[in-house]
Amino acid sequence: MSDTPVLQYSFLAPILIVLGGAVIGVLLEAFAAAKRRAVLQLTLTLGTLFIAFLSLLRIRNLTSAKAAMGSVMIDGPTILMQGTILLIAFFAVMIIGDVDNFTAQASAVPGSDEEKSALQAGRQQTEIFPLTLFAVAGMLLFPAANDLVTLFVALEVLSLPLYLMAGLSRHRRLFSQEAALKYFLLGAYASAFFLFGAAFLYGFSYSVTLSGIHAAVIGGTANNIFLLIGLTFISLGLLFKVGAVPFHAWTPDVYQGAPTPITGFMAAATKVAAFGAMLRIYYVTFAEANWNWRPILTVIAIATMLVGSIVAITQRDIKRMLAYSSIAHAGFLFTGVIALNKAGLAATLFYLLAYGFATIGAFGVITLVRDSSGEITDLNRWAGLGRRSPKIAALFSFFLFAFAGIPLTSGFIGKFAIFTAAYESGNIGVVVVGVLSSAIAAFFYIRVIVMMYFADDNGDSLTVVIPSPLTSIAIWVSGGVTLVLGVYPTPVLNAINTLATFIR
Amino acid sequence: MNSANYLYLSAMLFTIGAVGVVIRRNAIVVFMCIELMLNAANLAFVTFARINGTLDGQIIAFFTMVVAACEVVVGLAIIVTIFRSRRSTSVDDASLLKR
């Protein structure tokens, strides 16, 4: 007990580098000259993420190491998920780099003189960059966390910056602030459930580590009521984070209200982190207690897929539609979680990578479609976009094909792998519902494409702005990754298969 | 005194908080209810630590307090911004996004 704690800094390097970059970003925000601040912050953020990725590559072979006295587990899935999060964050930050999507001064009342003078004088605050880095650090820690405290702290470190980022839109600021309020109140509510569940798991096993809880689950002598309470409440907190039915109510509002680059980042990266933690908790800790959670999660998976796909059909707003589509995708990912086999783990990891890149690209394209008052998200006004800017419309259609799971896109390989894994585990009902809701979902994706190419041009004032170099790199690279993962996924699938084994 | 009583108290406090979040309309009060839930979880942690005679639960209680303090900072920032632009903290008024 009296040993000096050993942290193993090299294992924690990716997380620590991102946190360090965030702290330097806060200092830059305070001391750098206003004119150069945006450029400096963007360089710092991208550089930090790049160095963090390099330091992750250095430890990629250490697939069974514990760091920070067992609080952080570095195993294959951790490395894969941290890599995915860093890549997604890197391209998301390129889109966030267009700071004219964000309010010049978040504290100014919308429509006030203060706000106008800040805009005219070009006093653009760039706190979005350090906030992004803090959120990324939490996301890197969340799937690696190996005890209850680290899980809870990582959950909050990733959530708190996101609540603020949701409220920083420049246009439609009241919507954006409302999204922040809703996200915050419901998110904090869910974290309270998570913490209460953690307390009862501690009471169940008298251990805070996941391996200790696992030992108590196998031992079978501890109080099972505590296990049930703890498992239920901790699952509730996680289900909220990924937006599973019936805890999905916040998703459409927050996705619609938040600034579009943030919506993309949130949709892609939060899913990776939350599903990462969920996979570790269910596969490592509660695999032997699966009769307690698997039937309920199966019902939730089915409900999530169906509600997401069906409600999306009625949406008239492109961001709300993609929000419901993300709910449906959470359902598809659940089929991988409840498969509870190695194929399920590998398929979920691949799906997260594929979905993440398609999401970043799709929301990146939405930031480009504007009129004088800001982005246009009303679907009817997208009519005829295919004739006005064929390249952007083609790229967006490609992302929609990926979401729908059409062959030659990453979405097809992802769905195929995940349904195969569910089938192997004997869960045929989920596979049938999954394929059915994919078919329903294809309807509203195709409808957008029909709208863009075949509907009459309504002579709208809408334009597709010329993307900044970074944004175009981000959306075209996302398109490229989506294509490569769809045409030649073998190297990535092999790499994931070699690494995808949880260490207890 | 029987330690289990503290667990009952913790469950009661948690329920009061959870119900309060659902039925109260003022964002500040909703937020206070969430803090009550966090503190109920803290009480459960400390009680379990006492029953078992380990310190882990007590240490987690400190972590929770720090996290709750951060949550207050972020939460009040958001609620105050909303109040300044709408002159209301009622969560029912914030319904622009419902189409």
Side-chain angles (χ1 to χ4, degrees):
Chain A
M1 290 299 269
S2 58
D3 294 346
T4 322
V6 187
L7 276 182
Q8 275 111 353
Y9 287 103
S10 62
F11 299 172
L12 297 175
I15 302 167
L16 294 177
I17 288 170
V18 172
L19 279 174
V23 173
I24 297 173
V26 172
L27 291 176
L28 264 189
E29 191 62 32
F31 294 114
K35 294 260 178 271
R36 280 176 299 153
R37 208 189 282 147
V39 180
L40 283 175
Q41 289 277 28
L42 182 62
T43 321
L44 171 76
T45 311
L46 289 177
T48 305
L49 291 172
F50 184 67
I51 296 171
F53 191 73
L54 290 185
S55 70
L56 183 70
L57 286 182
R58 279 186 58 210
I59 58 166
R60 70 181 180 281
N61 293 322
L62 290 167
T63 49
S64 59
K66 286 182 181 177
M69 306 297 281
S71 288
V72 175
M73 176 65 91
I74 309 291
D75 54 11
T78 302
I79 305 234
L80 287 171
M81 282 177 288
Q82 291 193 337
T84 311
I85 292 167
L86 285 171
L87 283 175
I88 287 173
F90 189 82
F91 291 104
V93 166
M94 285 186 167
I95 298 173
I96 293 173
D98 271 343
V99 282
D100 56 350
N101 287 309
F102 300 101
T103 173
Q105 207 174 349
S107 58
V109 176
S112 65
D113 295 340
E114 199 187 355
E115 186 191 26
K116 280 180 203 128
S117 72
L119 268 181
Q120 274 160 7
R123 286 199 305 274
Q124 171 76 39
Q125 287 176 345
T126 49
E127 69 273 75
I128 194 80
F129 293 106
L131 285 175
T132 312
L133 281 182
F134 278 122
V136 170
M139 289 168 185
L140 294 179
L141 186 56
F142 198 38
N146 202 30
D147 65 33
L148 296 172
V149 197
T150 316
L151 268 176
F152 179 64
V153 172
L155 175 70
E156 293 294 312
V157 172
L158 88 86
S159 306
L160 291 177
L162 283 177
Y163 301 148
L164 291 172
M165 287 152 76
L168 291 179
S169 179
R170 174 175 294 185
H171 308 288
R172 301 194 189 83
R173 282 190 61 200
L174 285 179
F175 280 61
S176 180
Q177 291 180 350
E178 187 181 314
L181 179 74
K182 285 178 174 169
Y183 195 20
F184 168 72
L185 287 179
L186 292 174
Y189 193 44
S191 336
F193 275 97
F194 184 90
L195 186 70
F196 198 69
F200 275 82
L201 286 180
Y202 172 62
F204 163 72
S205 64
Y206 292 115
S207 163
V208 287
T209 60
L210 293 187
S211 49
I213 298 170
H214 176 245
V217 170
I218 296 180
T221 50
N223 187 339
N224 264 321
I225 304 286
F226 287 173
L227 171 65
L228 283 180
I229 297 178
L231 185 53
T232 313
F233 281 38
I234 221 166
S235 306
L236 232 140
L238 291 168
L239 289 174
F240 172 87
K241 271 292 146 207
V242 298
V245 175
F247 314 106
H248 66 292
W250 61 275
T251 319
D253 283 359
V254 174
Y255 277 34
Q256 188 189 357
T260 311
I262 299 304
T263 313
F265 170 65
M266 197 156 75
T270 315
K271 270 222 166 58
V272 184
F275 268 104
M278 199 179 263
L279 284 167
R280 181 178 302 281
I281 289 174
Y282 290 130
Y283 275 57
V284 171
T285 316
F286 298 119
E288 278 81 4
N290 68 56
W291 57 89
N292 282 331
W293 54 266
R294 224 165 151 194
I296 301 171
L297 270 198
T298 309
V299 173
I300 287 178
I302 291 175
T304 308
M305 287 188 279
L306 286 178
V307 169
S309 311
I310 293 172
V311 182
I313 296 177
T314 63
Q315 299 306 314
R316 310 304 307 166
D317 183 289
I318 187 105
K319 279 165 84 179
R320 269 185 109 77
M321 192 201 86
L322 287 186
Y324 279 104
S325 129
S326 96
I327 295 173
H329 282 283
F332 298 140
L333 283 158
F334 270 120
T335 59
V337 177
I338 53 184
L340 204 62
N341 52 19
K342 187 175 177 335
L345 174 59
T348 312
L349 291 173
F350 181 84
Y351 200 105
L352 285 167
L353 179 68
Y355 173 74
F357 270 100
T359 306
I360 293 286
F363 281 102
V365 171
I366 296 176
T367 62
L368 303 177
V369 183
R370 301 184 198 176
D371 69 0
S372 55
S373 69
E375 284 158 20
I376 299 299
T377 54
D378 185 352
L379 261 180
N380 289 326
R381 296 186 59 188
W382 279 51
L385 197 75
R387 277 188 290 278
R388 273 188 249 175
S389 39
K391 267 199 279 183
I392 292 294
L395 187 62
F396 193 67
S397 314
F398 185 63
F399 290 130
L400 292 179
F401 281 137
F403 287 144
I406 308 280
L408 292 185
T409 62
S410 59
F412 173 73
I413 309 286
K415 279 208 174 100
F416 183 74
I418 216 159
F419 289 145
T420 313
Y423 181 78
E424 276 170 14
S425 76
N427 218 334
I428 311 213
V430 167
V431 180
V432 172
V433 176
V435 173
L436 272 181
S437 48
S438 297
I440 301 173
F443 168 74
F444 60 79
Y445 295 126
I446 307 288
R447 194 185 60 186
V448 177
I449 297 171
V450 169
M451 196 77 139
M452 287 193 300
Y453 282 98
F454 302 110
D456 286 335
D457 202 330
N458 49 10
D460 215 315
S461 58
L462 139 164
T463 51
V464 174
V465 294
I466 309 286
S468 72
L470 284 180
T471 306
S472 28
I473 293 175
I475 56 178
W476 287 104
V477 168
S478 305
V481 172
T482 308
L483 179 68
V484 170
L485 289 183
V487 178
Y488 187 54
T490 324
V492 180
L493 281 173
N494 284 345
I496 289 178
N497 270 324
T498 355
L499 283 172
T501 313
F502 277 121
I503 310 287
R504 226 163 232 138
Chain B
M1 197 171 140
N2 186 358
S3 305
N5 289 343
Y6 292 102
L7 286 183
Y8 294 131
L9 176 64
S10 152
M12 269 156 57
L13 288 175
F14 188 82
T15 316
I16 293 172
V19 173
V21 172
V22 180
I23 60 173
R24 295 305 294 260
R25 289 286 165 257
N26 185 318
I28 304 267
V29 180
V30 170
F31 188 36
M32 282 160 61
C33 290
I34 292 172
E35 294 295 311
L36 186 63
M37 292 163 75
L38 290 178
N39 283 313
N42 257 356
L43 181 60
F45 267 120
V46 175
T47 311
F48 283 128
R50 168 82 183 180
I51 294 174
N52 189 41
T54 53
L55 284 177
D56 298 342
Q58 299 189 19
I59 292 164
I60 296 178
F62 282 109
F63 273 90
T64 314
M65 285 179 209
V66 175
V67 169
C70 303
E71 221 169 61
V72 170
V73 173
V74 170
L76 285 185
I78 292 173
I79 295 171
V80 167
T81 333
I82 283 259
F83 178 73
R84 276 159 50 100
S85 45
R86 299 171 191 252
R87 296 280 139 202
S88 150
T89 55
S90 166
V91 287
D92 282 352
D93 290 348
S95 58
L96 286 173
L97 286 164
K98 266 193 184 163
R99 285 188 296 149

